[in-house]
Amino acid sequence: MAATTPRRRDATKTRQLLLEAALQRFTRDGYAATTVRDIADDAGVNVALISRYFKSKEGLFEACLTSSVDEIRRTTGDTPLSRTPEAIARQIAGPCTEGLPHHLVLLLRSSGDEAADRIRLDLLRSYGQRLAVAAGWPEDDETMLLRAQIVLAAATGIALLRTKSGLEPLASATAEDLVAPLRDLVDALMSKP
Amino acid sequence: MAATTPRRRDATKTRQLLLEAALQRFTRDGYAATTVRDIADDAGVNVALISRYFKSKEGLFEACLTSSVDEIRRTTGDTPLSRTPEAIARQIAGPCTEGLPHHLVLLLRSSGDEAADRIRLDLLRSYGQRLAVAAGWPEDDETMLLRAQIVLAAATGIALLRTKSGLEPLASATAEDLVAPLRDLVDALMSKP
DNA sequence: TCCCCTGGTAAACAAATGTTGACTTAAAAA
DNA sequence: TTTTTAAGTCAACATTTGTTTACCAGGGGA
């Protein structure tokens, strides 16, 4: 049989289960409102394993954050400006079939930990720069950087408002519904020359 | 002497102190991360008075929310679309001299309480409708309602990103810096015909 | 078969948190 | 002055929460 023998005792697997459960909880409820027992129960795993595999609750949160950041980096790698609205819309509305929550929202969750804050800030900064560059501006143009960051803020704001409050029609808008307004938004902010 | 005798023991005053301290904490750190002892210390008041004046921590949060909603309703009462960008910019950047945090951010804080959720949702919905109407659209136009809510989401997203992460240049942008991009944003989303 | 290493469990811990009730004291009313 | 009412304080409470420690058990290698 292949190397993927279905072992009942699999540290890697349980680690993954914990990570996914934590990602869901932290994104939906925030850091402080989430308890380690909640996460462990969701994962169907003993609480003590969190401390073992991730050192602490904060360690688990940090792992979630880097995982989410990696995911964002992977799915949004060098998108041209023309495709940015769709990319954002898909990011916000989710891959439709996926039950996982929006990675953007996790970026707004805070544990008070400094390491986590730096991870978050690094992604936001580089994301903003990438957006400005994709729009054809020099990356040290402060005005355009501000505009790019506003696009970013708008995206996260939409994602947050969607999940937190059942504000209709925004809450249940599909990616198709969102792409047209987002195109207008991105165009107006970024391609102004 | 007038009715405003400066009493040392003033229930109304202490209530107010608690409300302001709570507003600050809840907005900055969120509901779960804020303890009643933090609030009481900030206000220079005994902890037990929170339960006395507001019934519970959740009661205090609800009071904060309605207070903030009232403030938003007062300062943004029937603004024409042409002035909306400035109004938003000022709301986001704060009245400059004021130490109070952004009321918009509190709208994204959640205590899990249902009553609070309804208050929040009501404001967001009416705010969105008002925006659509101010732009000259019928208030039952779903497409424009969605666009108005995206404007709202963008505003809250900016406010949140400003306070949570020190993302520059967004974090320390002034109201003047923000008004031009916001004008482009609002124009692109709302006045499309 | 026996041993041992590692994944998993359970109970307990100290610290923190929201809330309550009895007590004290300032200041207005008599 | 005395009385009374309300504002404020103090200490304790029952839970909850993150973390640790000691213990159990399955399964691969000898």
Side-chain angles (χ1 to χ4, degrees), chain A:
Chain A
M1 201 193 278
T4 58
T5 326
R7 287 186 298 171
R8 285 225 305 268
R9 301 188 141 203
D10 188 339
T12 319
K13 177 73 178 176
T14 32
R15 221 191 101 105
Q16 187 63 23
L17 284 176
L18 279 172
L19 201 69
E20 284 168 13
L23 211 77
Q24 196 127 318
R25 284 276 183 180
F26 284 145
T27 304
R28 180 154 45 93
D29 305 332
Y31 180 82
T34 299
T35 75
V36 289
R37 285 176 174 82
D38 287 339
I39 298 172
D41 286 353
D42 286 356
V45 157
N46 194 284
V47 204
L49 295 182
I50 289 181
S51 296
R52 180 187 297 225
Y53 290 139
F54 298 95
K55 185 103 186 299
S56 64
K57 184 190 178 186
E58 247 176 14
L60 176 54
F61 178 72
E62 210 174 297
C64 286
L65 206 53
T66 56
S67 151
S68 224
V69 162
D70 287 349
E71 174 68 18
I72 291 180
R73 285 225 157 89
R74 195 173 329 116
T75 56
T76 65
D78 56 38
T79 322
L81 191 68
S82 60
R83 295 198 142 213
T84 297
E86 291 121 7
I88 293 179
R90 203 163 318 140
Q91 185 74 248
I92 289 175
C96 283
T97 60
E98 196 172 353
L100 278 178
H102 321 300
H103 296 277
L104 281 175
V105 176
L106 189 68
L107 286 186
L108 296 177
R109 304 305 189 185
S110 179
S111 72
D113 182 33
E114 198 175 334
D117 282 350
R118 193 173 44 251
I119 293 172
R120 184 191 351 266
L121 185 55
D122 281 349
L123 177 86
L124 288 173
R125 191 154 38 199
S126 77
Y127 203 154
Q129 279 189 354
R130 206 143 28 106
L131 214 60
V133 172
W137 299 84
E139 61 176 300
D140 59 347
D141 184 332
E142 285 275 305
T143 308
M144 292 313 293
L145 210 52
L146 175 64
R147 283 169 172 264
Q149 289 174 0
I150 290 179
V151 171
L152 228 60
T156 52
I158 295 172
L160 200 61
L161 228 58
R162 272 180 128 250
T163 60
K164 296 281 283 194
S165 71
L167 183 64
E168 296 298 349
L170 183 62
S172 49
T174 67
E176 288 79 43
D177 297 333
L178 290 172
V179 72
L182 281 176
R183 184 171 296 282
D184 289 343
L185 190 151
V186 172
D187 279 352
L189 281 172
M190 302 299 298
S191 59
K192 235 221 145 186

Side-chain angles (χ1 to χ4, degrees), chain B residues 85-106:
Chain B
E86 291 122 5
I88 293 178
R90 203 163 319 138
Q91 185 75 247
I92 289 174
C96 284
T97 60
E98 195 173 352
L100 279 178
H102 321 301
H103 295 277
L104 281 175
V105 177
L106 188 68

